[in-house]
Amino acid sequence: MRLSILAIGKMKKGPESELLERYLERCEKAGRQLGISVAKVAEWSESRAENTEHRKNEEAGLMLASLKPGTFLIVLDEHGKDLSSVDLAQFMEKCLNGSVPEMAFAIGGPDGHGKSLQDAASLVLRMGIMTWPHQLARVMLAEQLYRSITILSGHPYHRI
């Protein structure tokens, strides 16, 4: 199974970018034994459309067009479902055992996600009730993906 991150907003060079790459590399190495690989982050610039709905719809269209058939889409949204790290790992394991070819995690722009993307999502997930900038949301998501992989492989990174 392949894991991918879709994000609105360009990541600049700096400590957040370095930390993101570190966690994605850890995911790739630790995931091999489980049959999990990590795609690079796909990112798009924020829409410059004249109003919020048009911006969200344009951004949603870009993300949807990038999805391959059979992709399990997870949209990150502040109104989504709460999962613990163990719950996320178990959910990933179900997808892995169910022969899901790819899980894509979508991080929206400042205005959130368009309705078409939310409607296409198999799961709407949140990382707490706070709103995070896209740079930090990427790093936090990558860390949770790594944590999930280590939980599934029995590595002691996650202490229960």
Side-chain angles (χ1 to χ4, degrees), residues 66-91:
S66 76
L67 297 176
K68 295 180 175 111
T71 298
F72 191 96
L73 176 62
I74 298 170
V75 169
L76 297 180
D77 183 86
E78 65 184 326
H79 303 291
K81 182 177 181 173
D82 288 316
L83 290 181
S84 70
S85 296
V86 172
D87 291 339
L88 180 59
Q90 291 170 344
F91 187 77

Side-chain angles (χ1 to χ4, degrees), residues 83-104:
L83 290 181
S84 70
S85 296
V86 172
D87 291 339
L88 180 59
Q90 291 170 344
F91 187 77
M92 286 175 57
E93 185 175 42
K94 280 184 186 176
C95 289
L96 187 62
N97 292 338
S99 299
V100 170
E102 183 166 357
M103 289 179 75

Side-chain angles (χ1 to χ4, degrees), residues 26-131:
R26 287 180 181 181
C27 285
E28 185 69 33
K29 288 177 184 172
R32 280 188 199 126
Q33 70 180 16
L34 299 172
I36 296 173
S37 65
V38 180
K40 291 292 180 190
V41 176
E43 61 182 13
W44 297 269
S45 297
E46 294 173 23
S47 170
R48 298 200 183 280
E50 65 278 0
N51 67 50
T52 301
E53 284 308 306
H54 286 121
R55 283 191 296 272
K56 291 192 314 187
N57 290 336
E58 187 176 293
E59 293 166 355
L62 293 169
M63 287 185 170
L64 285 170
S66 76
L67 297 176
K68 295 180 175 111
T71 298
F72 191 96
L73 176 62
I74 298 170
V75 169
L76 297 180
D77 183 86
E78 65 184 326
H79 303 291
K81 182 177 181 173
D82 288 316
L83 290 181
S84 70
S85 296
V86 172
D87 291 339
L88 180 59
Q90 291 170 344
F91 187 77
M92 286 175 57
E93 185 175 42
K94 280 184 186 176
C95 289
L96 187 62
N97 292 338
S99 299
V100 170
E102 183 166 357
M103 289 179 75
F105 295 82
I107 299 171
D111 299 310
H113 292 290
K115 184 171 176 5
S116 61
L117 190 74
Q118 288 189 346
D119 289 347
S122 300
L123 174 66
V124 180
L125 182 65
R126 73 176 179 178
M127 299 176 78
I129 60 175
M130 295 180 184
T131 302

